[in-house]
Amino acid sequence: MTGLDLLLWAVLPYVVVAVLVGGTIWRYRYDRFGWTTRSSELYESRLLRIGSPLFHFGILVVAFGHVIGLLVPEEWTTRAGLSESAYHAQAVVLGGVAGVATVAGLAILVYRRRATGPVFSATTRNDKAMYAMLVAAIAAGLTTTLVGSGAVGEQHNYRETVSVWFRSVLTLRPDVDAMTAAPAAFRVHALVAMLLFAAWPFTRLVHAFTAPVGYLFRPYIVYRSRRHSRSRTPAARRSQWATGTAQHAPAGPPHAPERTRRAAPSPGPAESPSASNGLRVERGDASNAI
Amino acid sequence: MTRPDRAPGRVMAQLAMVMNLDKCIGCHTCSVTCKQVWTNRGGVEYAWFNNVETRPGQGYPRRYQDQETWRGGWTRTRGGRLKPRSGGRLRRLLTLFANPVMPNIRDYYEPWTYDYDNLTSAPLGDDFPVARPTSLLTGEPLSIQWSANWDDNLGGGAEVCDQDPVVERMRQKAEESVRFAFEQAYMFYLPRICEHCLNPSCVASCPSGSLYKRSEDGIVLVDQDRCRGWRMCVTACPYKKIYFNHKTGKAEKCHFCYPRVEVGLPTVCSETCVGRLRYLGLVLYDADRVGEAAAVENEHDLYEAQLDLLLDPDDPRVQDAARRDGIPEDWLAAARRSPVYALAKRHRVALPLHPEFRTLPMVWYIPPLSPVVDAVAESGHDGEDVDNLFGAVDALRIPVAYLAELFSAGDPEPVRAVLRRLSAMRSYMRRVNLGDPADETIAQAAGMTGAEVTELYRLLAIAKYHDRYVVPTAHETDGPVPEAACGLDFDGGPGAYGGPFGEASGRPVPVSVETFHALKDRQTADAPADTAGPGARVNLLNWDGRGRPAGLFPPPHTQEQP
C-alpha cells in the first residue's frame, strides 16, 4: 500500500462525498433557479426522442446494477443459491445490454448536440466538461465489464475486490488493499466515477436529484396560497413547508371522477380538520412565479 | 342545470377576463405592450403571453387547436373520469426523457434579429447595404418562413386558412363548403392570453409540482424555483399558452400581470387596449364541483356546467359561504360589481374558448356581430330592426358554425342566443337614442328585460374604465407585495444569465437593490448619474439629463473610414 493508494482509496472517497453532499446543498440554496434539465427539445426532437430515452433508461438500469453489485455481498447471493458464474452471466448480459443502450443513446445525444445548430449554440463549457466526464466514466465502465467477464484479459470477480472496498468506505473503515487488488480498468473506472460525482452538483446533472417521483402520488391540481409566504430565508421556508399542507376534503360529489376530485384549499390550517383525499394547498414563495 | 336548492360548497374567487370581439381591431397593441413588459428578453423571444390571431387562420403556434396532434386538455374516460389527454401519471413519467408531442420552435417560429450593424459599417459601394435577418438561436443568416402573425388578416389566403383546424372540423361535420373566395371571405380577431382555467391541465401535468393555481385569485403561476424543465405543461395546455424559456430551461406563461392586479391595476393588455374591449373582474365559484362540471358527458353541456359553477355574489347564502371560506369583504364587494360575472352569467353574452378541452377556461369571449348590420342594410332593409337582425343571425358573414366551434364545442345554440341578445340591444337602444319610447318586446324577444338591456348597453357601449376593471387589491394580511424578480430580471445583470452553471444560474438581484444603489450613486457622485465603473451601466430612469454619463454611448470609433 503506497501513499498514493491511501490517498486515492481512503481519502478521496470521503472528499468526493463531502463535495457531492455539500455542493448539492449549497447549490440548492444558492441556485434553485438554475436547477433544471436545460432541455433542448424545443430546438430538435427527432434525434432526442431516440437518444434520450435510450440513454436515460440505460443509465437507470446501469445505476441499479451498480447498487446490486456493490452493496450486496457475494455471500448473500451465494446463499440464495445463485452461483458466482450464474451471477456474473446475468450481470454481464444485463449490464452489457444496458451499457450498450446507454452508449448508443449518449452517442446519438452527443452527435445531436454537435450537429444541430441551436443545440450546439446552447452548449456551455460546463456542459462540455460534463459530457467528457460522463463519456469517460461510461467508457471505463464498459471496459470493466469486458475485463471482468474475461472477454479481454483474465476474468476478475470484482465482488471480491471493488465491492468490498466500496462497502468498507461506507462503514468508514476503508479497505485500501481490496481496491489495489483490482485490475487497473476497475481502478480507472472508480476514479473517473469519483471525479464525475464530485462535479455532479455543479453541472446540469443535478436534475437527477429532483426526479419527480412524487408526481405519482399527488392530486392533479395544485393550489397554493400567496399568504404566509414572503420570507426568503431557508429557515422560514422550511417552517412553511413543515406546516404548509392544509388539507380539506369535500363530501365528494357523487359523479366526481376519483382522480380529479378536488377539495378546495382551506384558508388557514385552523379550519376544516376533516380527513383528506383532496387537494393540497402549499404555501410557497410566489415571488418567483411567472 | 341550475340547482337553486343546492348549498354552495367551498367558495373560491377567480380573477377572470372578458373580451368583446366586436371591438377588436387587430392592432396588436396588447401583444406588443405585454411583450415589452414581460418577454422582452433572451430565451422567450418567440413567446407571446398575449397574441392576437386572425380567425380563420392557423393560430399561434400553428394549428394549436388540433388536439389529435397536440394532445392538450383533458379527455373523459369511459368510466366518466377525467384524464389529461397526453396521458396519466405513469405514462407521463415514462415519457419524461423525451416528450413525444412537444411543439418544435418552428411550430411557433424561429426568432430572429437583423444585422443592423451592416447598415452603418458596410463599405461604400453601388448598392444600398441591407440588414439581413439572422437567427437568434444560432446566429446564422436565416430565411424567414413564419412568425407569430404570418397569417394576419387572412395573409396567405386559402393556402393557409384551409389548414385552420376549426375550418377542418366544420368541413368534416357539415360537409359544408367553407370558401375563401374574396367575396365570401370573413375574418375576425381573437386575442388570446392564458385562460387561467378552473381545471388547468398544465398544472395537472407538471411532474415537479411547480405549476399551481393561486388559491386567493385563481391565477395559474409557475414557481420558477421549482420548475425543472420537464416540459410536460407545454404539451398539456390545449391553448399552448405555456412557453419553454430555452435559455433558462424553465416554463413561463401569462401570469395575469399579478404584480399589477395585486395592487388593483388592470393587466397590461387590458390597460393598453385601444379598443377597450377587455373586462376584468372576480367570479366566485364552487370549487367542490369543478371536477364534476369538467367531466359532464356531452361536450355541448360543458358551457352550461361551467356557468353553473359561477355563484351569484348577491345571494346571501353564497356570501355567507364565501365569508366562511375566508374571502374578504372587499373582494365580495368587487365580486358583486364584477363585469365578468355580469357578462358571462347574468347577461349570458360571453362564452368560453373551446370548452370541449374541459379545462373550464376563465377568459370569456363575446362573439362578434358587427358585419350583420351592414349586411342587412345593404340588402335595403333597416339594419337595426330587430326582426331583420334576428333573421340575419344565421346568415352572418361569419358563420355561426365557425363561432360555435370556437366557443361552444360546436353547438350553435349558445352562439345564436348571444348574437340575438346583442342584436336586441342594438335595436332597443336605437329607439331610446332616437327618442322613441322604449320597446319592451324587443328585449323580451331575446329573453331579457329593458333594464337588463340598458345595463348591458352601459357595460358594452359606454364601458367606463371603472366598470370595465373591477380589480380588488390583494388583502393586507397577505403581506407585502413581492417584487417580480428572477426570470424577469434584466439581461446581463448579475445573477440573471451567465452564472457559473449555465446561462441561468444564481440568485437574481432584486430590483429594489439595484435601484437603491443607482439612487445612492446619483445622490453621492460628483457627476450626476455617472454610474460608470467596472460593470456599471446607465439606468436611464435615474439619469436626470445633466451631463453625459460614461457608458451612455458606446466608445467612439477611432478607425478611419477608408
Side-chain angles (χ1 to χ4, degrees):
Chain A
M1 193 201 314
T2 65
L4 183 66
D5 285 331
L6 199 66
L7 199 67
L8 288 184
W9 311 117
V11 179
L12 189 60
Y14 296 107
V15 173
V16 168
V17 169
V19 172
L20 177 64
V21 174
T24 304
I25 293 171
W26 173 78
R27 175 114 190 241
Y28 188 74
R29 294 172 69 124
Y30 165 75
D31 182 33
R32 221 169 297 177
F33 183 55
W35 194 297
T36 143
T37 56
R38 301 229 346 269
S39 161
S40 55
E41 189 174 1
L42 188 68
Y43 304 138
E44 200 281 343
S45 58
R46 207 172 44 86
L47 286 171
L48 185 88
R49 264 161 69 179
I50 307 165
S52 180
L54 258 184
F55 169 75
H56 281 95
F57 284 119
I59 202 90
L60 283 177
V61 173
V62 167
F64 178 71
H66 275 72
V67 170
I68 301 293
L70 290 176
L71 289 185
V72 178
E74 189 165 7
E75 305 92 71
W76 294 13
T77 50
T78 319
R79 225 177 297 157
L82 198 63
S83 74
E84 143 76 28
S85 58
Y87 177 87
H88 267 268
Q90 64 88 20
V92 165
V93 169
L94 200 65
V97 169
V100 167
T102 309
V103 168
L106 191 61
I108 294 173
L109 290 179
V110 170
Y111 167 78
R112 165 182 179 274
R113 200 152 270 281
R114 185 64 194 87
T116 316
V119 184
F120 187 57
S121 305
T123 308
T124 61
R125 266 180 298 180
N126 185 311
D127 292 341
K128 288 172 192 164
M130 184 275 293
Y131 266 101
M133 282 184 276
L134 200 59
V135 169
I138 292 171
L142 269 182
T143 314
T144 63
T145 311
L146 292 177
V147 169
S149 66
V152 178
E154 201 179 325
Q155 193 175 0
H156 177 75
N157 184 4
Y158 60 86
R159 298 211 293 165
E160 286 165 0
T161 57
V162 185
S163 303
V164 172
W165 166 77
F166 188 84
R167 289 195 297 273
S168 75
V169 168
L170 290 186
T171 52
L172 305 181
R173 279 186 210 156
D175 184 351
V176 177
D177 290 333
M179 196 58 189
T180 47
F186 284 91
R187 281 177 288 160
V188 170
H189 177 55
L191 271 182
V192 177
M194 283 197 278
L195 186 66
L196 181 68
F197 283 121
W200 196 288
F202 313 105
T203 65
R204 66 201 297 179
L205 295 178
V206 285
H207 73 265
F209 291 150
T210 48
V213 184
Y215 181 65
L216 288 173
F217 312 102
R218 191 196 85 192
Y220 269 133
I221 308 294
V222 178
Y223 290 94
R224 248 165 90 172
S225 166
R226 75 184 275 282
R227 265 177 269 218
H228 321 287
S229 61
R230 290 294 161 249
S231 174
R232 293 188 66 92
T233 65
R237 268 172 194 264
R238 268 197 305 278
S239 64
Q240 282 160 27
W241 288 104
T243 59
T245 46
Q247 296 191 329
H248 169 74
H255 307 297
E258 189 72 43
R259 279 292 198 184
T260 54
R261 181 195 300 159
R262 76 222 43 240
S266 61
E271 203 169 334
S272 64
S274 53
S276 151
N277 62 349
L279 250 254
R280 190 167 51 201
V281 187
E282 293 167 354
R283 303 256 163 65
D285 188 337
S287 62
N288 288 334
I290 285 193
Chain B
M1 287 281 296
T2 47
R3 300 181 193 83
D5 52 322
R6 191 157 164 182
R10 178 156 295 276
V11 179
M12 287 180 82
Q14 167 82 38
L15 259 177
M17 186 185 280
V18 170
M19 299 193 210
N20 184 357
L21 296 186
D22 256 339
K23 293 187 183 180
C24 185
I25 58 170
C27 66
H28 302 281
T29 306
C30 47
S31 308
V32 171
T33 49
C34 172
K35 180 115 196 125
Q36 272 309 82
V37 174
W38 299 120
T39 56
N40 190 17
R41 56 205 154 85
V44 281
E45 309 93 343
Y46 75 101
W48 296 82
F49 289 173
N50 182 105
N51 76 298
V52 183
E53 51 202 39
T54 304
R55 308 291 349 175
Q58 294 188 21
Y60 159 81
R62 266 183 266 192
R63 292 172 54 80
Y64 70 93
Q65 289 147 311
D66 177 10
Q67 302 312 338
E68 296 300 311
T69 307
W70 297 118
R71 317 208 65 74
W74 301 84
T75 48
R76 186 179 189 274
T77 61
R78 255 171 299 174
R81 288 155 42 146
L82 281 188
K83 199 174 117 187
R85 194 184 280 269
S86 50
R89 292 178 173 82
L90 199 58
R91 186 191 160 85
R92 193 171 312 284
L93 288 198
L94 287 176
T95 55
L96 197 63
F97 304 130
N99 183 345
V101 279
M102 181 169 159
N104 187 270
I105 186 77
R106 276 167 201 85
D107 293 309
Y108 303 88
Y109 63 95
E110 186 165 349
W112 72 88
T113 183
Y114 293 95
D115 180 17
Y116 294 110
D117 186 52
N118 188 45
L119 296 180
T120 52
S121 63
L124 191 62
D126 292 335
D127 304 315
F128 278 108
V130 293
R132 285 200 303 168
T134 53
S135 166
L136 279 171
L137 300 184
T138 59
E140 302 292 318
L142 167 88
S143 155
I144 300 171
Q145 304 286 331
W146 192 263
S147 85
N149 272 309
W150 206 250
D151 52 358
D152 207 23
N153 295 344
L154 301 182
E159 211 175 294
V160 170
C161 297
D162 270 350
Q163 289 174 48
D164 178 349
V166 181
V167 170
E168 279 176 4
R169 274 181 74 127
M170 281 166 70
R171 285 194 174 132
Q172 262 172 22
K173 274 190 181 169
E175 292 173 11
E176 191 181 330
S177 53
V178 181
R179 281 175 294 261
F180 292 104
F182 182 71
E183 300 81 24
Q184 292 139 325
Y186 59 89
M187 64 166 220
F188 60 99
Y189 300 105
L190 184 74
R192 293 201 304 124
I193 63 168
C194 165
E195 301 281 339
H196 297 279
C197 307
L198 295 186
N199 189 33
S201 51
C202 57
V203 172
S205 73
C206 175
S208 41
S210 70
L211 264 157
Y212 62 96
K213 192 164 177 65
R214 216 151 68 150
S215 50
E216 282 86 356
D217 50 18
I219 296 176
V220 177
L221 295 171
V222 184
D223 183 340
Q224 293 286 298
D225 275 355
R226 279 183 86 180
C227 175
R228 306 283 173 239
W230 302 119
R231 324 174 286 293
M232 295 301 166
C233 50
V234 180
T235 300
C237 173
Y239 303 95
K240 290 291 169 281
K241 275 293 173 187
I242 300 203
Y243 303 93
F244 184 75
N245 182 324
H246 58 87
K247 282 202 171 167
T248 65
K250 307 235 166 182
E252 293 188 20
K253 64 182 290 296
C254 156
H255 42 58
F256 217 79
C257 287
Y258 75 87
R260 287 175 60 90
V261 295
E262 279 177 4
V263 294
L265 294 169
T267 65
V268 168
C269 53
S270 307
E271 180 84 272
T272 60
C273 175
V274 292
R276 304 194 289 181
L277 61 94
R278 299 194 189 218
Y279 296 79
L280 293 173
L282 280 184
V283 290
L284 304 178
Y285 69 99
D286 186 342
D288 288 351
R289 287 196 287 124
V290 167
E292 187 189 350
V296 294
E297 192 172 355
N298 188 345
E299 283 186 349
H300 291 179
D301 295 335
L302 278 163
Y303 165 57
E304 284 297 337
Q306 185 171 343
L307 269 192
D308 195 33
L309 283 179
L310 306 189
L311 301 171
D312 181 2
D314 289 313
D315 181 344
R317 280 196 312 170
V318 171
Q319 291 171 2
D320 288 344
R323 286 190 192 101
R324 175 199 70 198
D325 297 331
I327 295 177
E329 283 303 324
D330 54 337
W331 281 54
L332 280 180
R336 284 194 291 275
R337 285 188 52 222
S338 167
V340 175
Y341 182 81
L343 293 170
K345 179 106 183 221
R346 200 152 56 227
H347 302 304
R348 298 171 71 100
V349 291
L351 300 170
L353 180 64
H354 289 299
E356 73 272 22
F357 297 160
R358 294 182 184 275
T359 59
L360 307 180
M362 277 296 126
V363 174
W364 305 70
Y365 291 91
I366 302 177
L369 174 72
S370 281
V372 71
V373 181
D374 290 340
V376 176
E378 271 166 25
S379 61
H381 297 89
D382 181 351
E384 299 199 341
D385 180 84
V386 74
D387 291 330
N388 292 342
L389 279 175
F390 277 14
V393 159
D394 274 316
L396 283 177
R397 185 137 183 167
I398 303 173
V400 168
Y402 191 94
L403 296 173
E405 289 294 341
L406 281 187
F407 299 121
S408 52
D411 180 9
E413 272 322 307
V415 176
R416 260 189 217 124
V418 172
L419 296 181
R420 269 193 223 110
R421 269 179 222 116
L422 295 178
S423 315
M425 181 187 76
R426 287 185 180 209
S427 201
Y428 182 90
M429 289 313 297
R430 179 197 189 217
R431 289 180 64 88
V432 173
N433 286 337
L434 292 179
D436 294 340
D439 184 354
E440 196 71 14
T441 57
I442 296 178
Q444 278 160 6
M448 302 169 88
T449 66
E452 280 172 348
V453 169
T454 314
E455 194 199 326
L456 184 61
Y457 166 78
R458 282 198 62 79
L459 262 178
L460 292 184
I462 308 291
K464 287 289 193 192
Y465 188 92
H466 66 268
D467 289 331
R468 275 182 286 137
Y469 308 132
V470 183
V471 185
T473 53
H475 217 244
E476 299 129 57
T477 55
D478 296 355
V481 175
E483 283 187 351
C486 248
L488 308 177
D489 244 51
F490 48 96
D491 221 346
Y497 299 141
F501 313 123
E503 293 188 73
S505 61
R507 282 240 173 265
V509 176
V511 181
S512 57
V513 172
E514 198 203 352
T515 313
F516 172 79
H517 287 296
L519 269 176
K520 204 174 93 182
D521 277 343
R522 181 179 158 186
Q523 285 159 355
T524 57
D526 293 334
D530 192 344
T531 54
R537 62 201 197 98
V538 176
N539 185 340
L540 288 178
L541 291 175
N542 284 320
W543 181 43
D544 55 8
R546 290 190 291 147
R548 198 184 77 183
L552 183 62
F553 298 110
H557 270 293
T558 46
Q559 266 186 332
E560 293 282 320
Q561 287 284 342

